Amino acid sequence: QVRLVESGGGLVQAGGSLRLSCVVSGGTFSNYRMGWFRQAPGKEREFVAASRWSGSNPYYADSVKGRFTISRDNAENTVYLQMNSLKPEDTAVYHCAADTSNWGSPTVARLYDYWGQGTQVTVSS
């Protein structure tokens, strides 16, 4: 069974940085497209960033482009999300997700097969 566990969330002031990690176990991580999504209270889940199995050509939501960086270490079965210049509107629960098919748009949540429980990120103004 594939399991995803996120960590690294917390409370940070606007303009600060956080680095989220997501460790994947029970599957072949190096074959998966990995994504980060977030959900704020009262809002729908939204795409943040995605990484192909190779780590090349990462894809970002416009709202985080230039501030967030997704990376992965296939030897450690871990995907990261470096978040810089954080804004209060980045406050949300952040989830990592694994797509075993590597097919279709990376922004579509329903295409991902496995999800982590999420980690809270709170940005104060």
Side-chain angles (χ1 to χ4, degrees):
Q1 183 176 351
V2 179
R3 184 171 180 236
L4 287 67
V5 179
E6 303 98 334
S7 62
L11 173 64
V12 64
Q13 288 187 333
S17 299
L18 284 173
R19 188 194 196 200
L20 306 184
S21 301
C22 172
V23 179
V24 180
S25 60
T28 310
F29 176 80
S30 59
N31 290 347
Y32 300 161
R33 176 165 65 186
M34 297 299 299
W36 285 97
F37 290 77
R38 65 187 183 186
Q39 188 165 19
K43 295 187 178 181
E44 294 187 355
R45 180 169 48 188
E46 66 171 342
F47 168 77
V48 176
S51 170
R52 297 173 60 194
W53 65 271
S54 63
S56 62
N57 298 320
Y59 194 79
Y60 298 96
D62 288 343
S63 58
V64 307
K65 203 171 293 183
R67 300 188 297 122
F68 290 12
T69 302
I70 187 171
S71 61
R72 63 191 294 160
D73 184 338
N74 285 346
E76 296 295 329
N77 291 353
T78 303
V79 62
Y80 303 97
L81 185 68
Q82 178 66 45
M83 305 185 296
N84 298 330
S85 302
L86 282 161
K87 304 175 182 179
E89 51 263 43
D90 294 318
T91 295
V93 176
Y94 284 71
H95 298 266
C96 66
D99 170 19
T100 61
S101 68
N102 286 277
W103 176 87
S105 170
T107 68
V108 179
R110 61 180 173 82
L111 295 182
Y112 289 78
D113 304 286
Y114 302 102
W115 292 81
Q117 83 289 348
T119 186
Q120 176 70 46
V121 171
T122 303
V123 185
S124 63
S125 57

